[in-house]
Amino acid sequence: MNYTQHIQIAIDYIESNLQSQINLSTCAKAAGYSEYHFLRIFKEATGMTPGQYIRKRRLSEIAKLIHKSDKFFFAIAMEWGFNSYENFVHAFKTEHNITPKEYKTSFNSLHLYEKLDILELNQIKEDIRIEPQIVDLQSFHLYGHISQTSVEKSHTEIPHFWNKYNCSKAGEKLQPHINPQHRKDFGIAIIDINAKTFNYFIGVKSCDPIHNTYTITIPRGTYAVFKTPTADSFTFVETIHQTWDYILNRWLPNNNEYTRINSYAFETYCEKSNRYSEDIYIPVKKIRS
């Protein structure tokens, strides 16, 4: 039995006791390690500490119940191990950058964590195969808002930015005349290697200028368009991350027909369509034979 199997045993134990008190020594014992080695190996296998995993899983299950239950938020939170309403709200906002009330009102897609199956997760990453559509686009303008982040924090802060954008109805304020179920929002990572900055833009496409916004012009060119696999509101964000991982680490390095060029890559989808799939546009040019 290798170490991933031992960690999976610990994860199974955690999942069986998510609504009970869980201590580190019991988790380590379930995996067959000392506490010191368990902490190190768990983080190596999952990318997070046992405490972080427990918190994310509990908050994910609470978020599902907030959407479909009429119970008071704190009653739900108490069932999943939170001993005060203030602690719960703080943990929820830290995780998602919105309050439980904002989420209940808007029910936007969140980056939730399902039970982790290490072997299955590795297999899913290997199984992703997306053949892009190659399209030619005319230049167009985007108007919206920008947030500063970093490469290290982007995996968390970009979903946070989307959560706040959706819950505050920022897209509807930018284009109040467009039906939200038809409006597409655009996201773009803007990285300046020399200045060592990483900003992320969210906004809408418009033929007419929108005042008091940050403006980006998408240049005319050829793009490889990847449609993320069908998901639901709870798995959408993780599916996007897996698709980007496939594009950057598998499709681009192994493609012999097209290469990426230095221009804006962007993602676009309609939050209110309830389809939970987005298109990712990568600027490319054909490789000369």
Side-chain angles (χ1 to χ4, degrees):
M1 185 180 290
N2 60 35
Y3 80 93
T4 57
Q5 292 172 307
H6 286 286
I7 295 302
Q8 190 62 54
I9 291 173
I11 290 172
D12 293 341
Y13 171 80
I14 290 171
E15 291 291 333
S16 298
N17 295 275
L18 266 181
Q19 291 179 272
S20 307
Q21 291 293 325
I22 302 174
N23 62 64
L24 178 62
S25 62
T26 308
C27 293
K29 185 177 180 180
Y33 292 105
S34 67
E35 291 185 27
Y36 172 80
H37 284 96
F38 175 67
L39 274 172
R40 179 178 61 81
I41 295 171
F42 190 98
K43 189 167 185 179
E44 180 181 330
T46 67
M48 63 188 91
T49 66
Q52 289 170 333
Y53 178 81
I54 292 168
R55 186 183 70 254
K56 288 176 183 295
R57 283 290 295 120
R58 284 174 171 167
L59 288 171
S60 295
E61 294 303 317
I62 291 170
K64 296 176 186 178
L65 292 170
I66 285 175
H67 171 59
K68 64 183 181 182
S69 172
D70 291 327
K71 284 186 177 181
F72 290 112
F73 298 159
F74 184 46
I76 298 173
M78 283 189 64
E79 294 173 359
W80 290 89
F82 286 92
N83 57 13
S84 78
Y85 184 70
E86 290 75 16
N87 287 343
F88 162 61
V89 172
H90 176 74
F92 193 96
K93 189 168 184 179
T94 299
E95 182 69 19
H96 300 298
N97 198 35
I98 55 175
T99 65
K101 183 177 181 180
E102 287 176 318
Y103 173 63
K104 178 73 172 181
T105 302
S106 64
F107 186 53
N108 62 289
S109 51
L110 295 180
H111 188 189
L112 301 187
Y113 287 80
E114 300 298 326
K115 175 186 175 181
L116 186 59
D117 185 320
I118 300 174
L119 298 178
E120 181 181 344
L121 179 62
N122 291 337
Q123 187 62 46
I124 288 172
K125 289 181 178 179
E126 290 298 318
D127 286 345
I128 286 183
R129 296 279 193 282
I130 304 172
E131 284 301 318
Q133 180 184 5
I134 305 299
V135 301
D136 291 320
L137 297 181
Q138 297 297 317
S139 177
F140 59 90
H141 303 295
L142 299 175
Y143 301 88
H145 307 288
I146 199 164
S147 177
Q148 186 171 359
T149 181
S150 66
V151 174
E152 294 76 17
K153 297 179 180 179
S154 61
H155 193 78
T156 298
E157 292 187 347
I158 289 175
H160 280 186
F161 188 23
W162 275 107
N163 291 344
K164 183 59 70 175
Y165 177 88
N166 288 322
C167 281
S168 65
K169 301 186 184 301
E172 295 178 36
K173 293 172 183 175
L174 291 170
Q175 291 184 319
H177 57 288
I178 293 182
N179 186 329
Q181 293 185 342
H182 298 151
R183 188 196 71 251
K184 285 190 174 184
D185 297 302
F186 291 74
I188 302 175
I190 308 169
I191 304 172
D192 188 328
I193 297 176
N194 295 326
K196 296 182 180 180
T197 61
F198 186 162
N199 297 319
Y200 192 82
F201 167 93
I202 303 178
V204 297
K205 178 180 177 180
S206 177
C207 295
D208 300 316
I210 301 176
H211 299 297
N212 300 319
T213 60
Y214 190 93
T215 306
I216 289 179
T217 299
I218 301 298
R220 174 183 177 181
T222 301
Y223 293 81
V225 186
F226 298 81
K227 185 174 290 293
T228 62
T230 302
D232 57 32
S233 62
F234 303 123
T235 59
F236 184 35
V237 177
E238 186 58 34
T239 301
I240 294 171
H241 289 163
Q242 291 174 359
T243 304
W244 271 106
D245 181 71
Y246 164 78
I247 294 169
L248 297 177
N249 297 315
R250 294 170 61 192
W251 188 84
L252 281 170
N254 297 315
N255 187 272
N256 297 319
E257 190 174 1
Y258 290 93
T259 185
R260 182 174 180 175
I261 64 172
N262 185 24
S263 186
Y264 291 118
F266 60 92
E267 48 195 351
T268 180
Y269 82 109
C270 178
E271 170 73 22
K272 295 301 182 181
S273 68
N274 295 323
R275 291 175 183 168
Y276 301 110
S277 178
E278 75 167 22
D279 293 330
I280 298 174
Y281 287 72
I282 305 295
V284 296
K285 70 176 181 179
K286 203 171 183 64
I287 299 174
R288 293 181 180 180
S289 56

